[in-house]
Amino acid sequence: MKFKFDYQKPKVIAEIGCNHMGKIQLAKELIYLAKQSGAGYVKFQKRNNKELLTEQQYNAPHPNPHNSYGDTYGAHREYLEFTLEQHKDLKDYCDEIGIIYSTSVWDVTSAKEMISFNPEFLKVPSACNNNFDMLKVLRDEFKGQVQLSIGMTKKDEVEEIVKFFETTNQSKSRLLLYSCTSGYPVPAEDVALLEINWLYDNFAERVNEIGFSGHHLGIALDVAAYTLGARWIERHFTKDRTWKGTDHAASLEVGGLTKLTRDLNSVYKALNYKPDEILPIEAVQREKLKNRK
């Protein structure tokens, strides 16, 4: 890797997304559990479904009826959608208990709505990172950080996105890129952690930060991603991985998120050099055990 980075304390996002199953009280419970698990951030999703979907897509059956909350895909998505007022309520609750709120935005209308109460950052999911009308809203009308995943995105398309923010000199100060493989869940061989090196080699001097958004099983790969330089670690979060819905199976439960934050913070403390050739903790053992001739 060409770029030399300094290790910073890991920033962990518990992506609740739509795992609240359309229930505002469950959403608040998941916020509380994420806070208790050590995450510093939670993230939801905001869609204007009739803007985002074609009429045919809106009225089509859900591709996996077992996970559907409506007779059509549009009805399913509407069932899971919170209003602007509900999102404001969730942000207020986050502020109250001391965890940072954010959301992914999937379309122009949703981006404009979420900008209205000035969250610290907004996320662009991999599926929408080529929606330049929405990116323009985030670039020109939003003052916070723009976090953007690059799953299912070609390298020349990533370059185009960064250049789009560079036209107004906002890439270095405001754009975060997530290494990501889009799949639910993703097998280890497809996670491609060394893409983090590629992001550092090509964009470290051009964007604000680099992170890792994982959809795999377990927590080992997140720790490796952090060691490679991912300053933000984003994982889907749920109370029960067996619940109805497409994201639960690739999510962490409370125990998994707690262990992830614990392990990441331990690795952060360990990523240093010895300040002395013999540490105080070693001195006693050296005196006791080291052979002297």
Side-chain angles (χ1 to χ4, degrees), residues 124-256:
V124 178
S126 298
C128 305
N129 65 23
N130 61 343
N131 183 343
F132 282 90
D133 289 337
M134 183 180 76
L135 294 184
K136 187 174 188 302
V137 170
L138 295 173
R139 185 192 67 184
D140 297 348
E141 300 178 30
F142 180 50
K143 302 303 181 185
Q145 187 182 61
V146 178
Q147 301 192 352
L148 184 143
S149 278
I150 60 168
M152 51 185 167
T153 305
K154 295 179 180 179
K155 287 179 167 54
D156 63 331
E157 294 171 334
V158 179
E159 176 68 27
E160 183 181 9
I161 292 164
V162 173
K163 283 182 176 177
F164 181 77
F165 280 84
E166 285 178 330
T167 58
T168 56
N169 298 316
Q170 295 189 58
S171 177
K172 181 61 179 172
S173 61
R174 297 182 53 227
L175 184 63
L176 181 153
L177 297 179
Y178 279 110
S179 175
C180 177
T181 298
S182 298
Y184 304 88
V186 178
E189 60 268 24
D190 290 335
V191 172
L193 285 176
L194 295 183
E195 291 296 308
I196 296 170
N197 290 358
W198 177 80
L199 284 172
Y200 267 99
D201 287 345
N202 290 276
F203 300 107
E205 302 291 352
R206 299 171 62 190
V207 302
N208 185 239
E209 290 183 292
I210 288 166
F212 173 69
S213 178
H215 304 102
H216 51 283
L217 300 179
I219 61 174
L221 303 186
D222 304 284
V223 174
Y226 172 69
T227 306
L228 286 169
R231 290 178 172 168
W232 293 73
I233 303 294
E234 177 187 74
R235 290 297 305 272
H236 283 270
F237 178 62
T238 186
K239 190 176 177 181
D240 188 335
R241 295 178 62 246
T242 68
W243 277 349
K244 177 180 176 179
T246 54
D247 290 344
H248 293 288
S251 300
L252 295 177
E253 295 176 347
V254 171

Side-chain angles (χ1 to χ4, degrees), residues 3-293:
F3 182 77
K4 301 297 183 183
F5 53 84
D6 60 311
Y7 285 105
Q8 300 179 7
K9 188 172 183 179
K11 302 169 187 174
V12 179
I13 301 177
E15 183 178 359
I16 296 169
C18 297
N19 284 347
H20 51 71
M21 301 190 291
K23 301 172 183 177
I24 194 74
Q25 285 308 122
L26 178 56
K28 289 183 177 180
E29 182 181 5
L30 288 168
I31 292 171
Y32 176 80
L33 291 172
K35 166 75 173 178
Q36 295 301 111
S37 301
Y41 308 81
V42 291
K43 187 169 70 62
F44 292 89
Q45 296 182 11
K46 189 72 177 81
R47 292 171 167 92
N48 182 304
N49 293 302
K50 291 191 175 178
E51 178 179 334
L52 183 63
L53 302 170
T54 66
E55 184 176 354
Q56 181 179 5
Q57 290 170 328
Y58 193 93
N59 293 317
H62 192 287
N64 187 345
H66 174 74
N67 286 322
S68 182
Y69 287 93
D71 294 335
T72 65
Y73 186 70
H76 162 78
R77 290 257 50 105
E78 299 291 5
Y79 183 91
L80 295 172
E81 195 64 40
F82 286 150
T83 65
L84 176 61
E85 290 70 28
Q86 286 173 312
H87 275 277
K88 287 180 178 177
D89 184 32
L90 293 175
K91 183 178 184 298
D92 289 343
Y93 180 66
C94 288
D95 293 343
E96 178 184 329
I97 69 169
I99 192 169
I100 295 173
Y101 161 95
S102 187
T103 186
S104 294
V105 291
W106 288 65
D107 53 80
V108 169
T109 298
S110 297
K112 287 179 176 289
E113 287 179 340
M114 293 298 101
I115 286 170
S116 69
F117 56 90
N118 196 31
E120 183 174 308
F121 67 90
L122 290 171
K123 171 79 182 293
V124 178
S126 298
C128 305
N129 65 23
N130 61 343
N131 183 343
F132 282 90
D133 289 337
M134 183 180 76
L135 294 184
K136 187 174 188 302
V137 170
L138 295 173
R139 185 192 67 184
D140 297 348
E141 300 178 30
F142 180 50
K143 302 303 181 185
Q145 187 182 61
V146 178
Q147 301 192 352
L148 184 143
S149 278
I150 60 168
M152 51 185 167
T153 305
K154 295 179 180 179
K155 287 179 167 54
D156 63 331
E157 294 171 334
V158 179
E159 176 68 27
E160 183 181 9
I161 292 164
V162 173
K163 283 182 176 177
F164 181 77
F165 280 84
E166 285 178 330
T167 58
T168 56
N169 298 316
Q170 295 189 58
S171 177
K172 181 61 179 172
S173 61
R174 297 182 53 227
L175 184 63
L176 181 153
L177 297 179
Y178 279 110
S179 175
C180 177
T181 298
S182 298
Y184 304 88
V186 178
E189 60 268 24
D190 290 335
V191 172
L193 285 176
L194 295 183
E195 291 296 308
I196 296 170
N197 290 358
W198 177 80
L199 284 172
Y200 267 99
D201 287 345
N202 290 276
F203 300 107
E205 302 291 352
R206 299 171 62 190
V207 302
N208 185 239
E209 290 183 292
I210 288 166
F212 173 69
S213 178
H215 304 102
H216 51 283
L217 300 179
I219 61 174
L221 303 186
D222 304 284
V223 174
Y226 172 69
T227 306
L228 286 169
R231 290 178 172 168
W232 293 73
I233 303 294
E234 177 187 74
R235 290 297 305 272
H236 283 270
F237 178 62
T238 186
K239 190 176 177 181
D240 188 335
R241 295 178 62 246
T242 68
W243 277 349
K244 177 180 176 179
T246 54
D247 290 344
H248 293 288
S251 300
L252 295 177
E253 295 176 347
V254 171
L257 185 62
T258 301
K259 291 175 182 176
L260 174 61
T261 58
R262 177 202 66 193
D263 290 356
L264 286 171
N265 286 323
S266 293
V267 171
Y268 167 65
K269 292 176 183 177
L271 284 169
N272 54 46
Y273 294 96
K274 289 183 176 182
D276 302 298
E277 288 190 355
I278 304 298
L279 295 176
I281 197 172
E282 296 178 300
V284 174
Q285 304 305 323
R286 178 180 173 89
E287 181 66 25
K288 176 181 175 183
L289 300 174
K290 199 81 168 177
N291 289 330
R292 282 170 281 181
K293 295 181 180 179

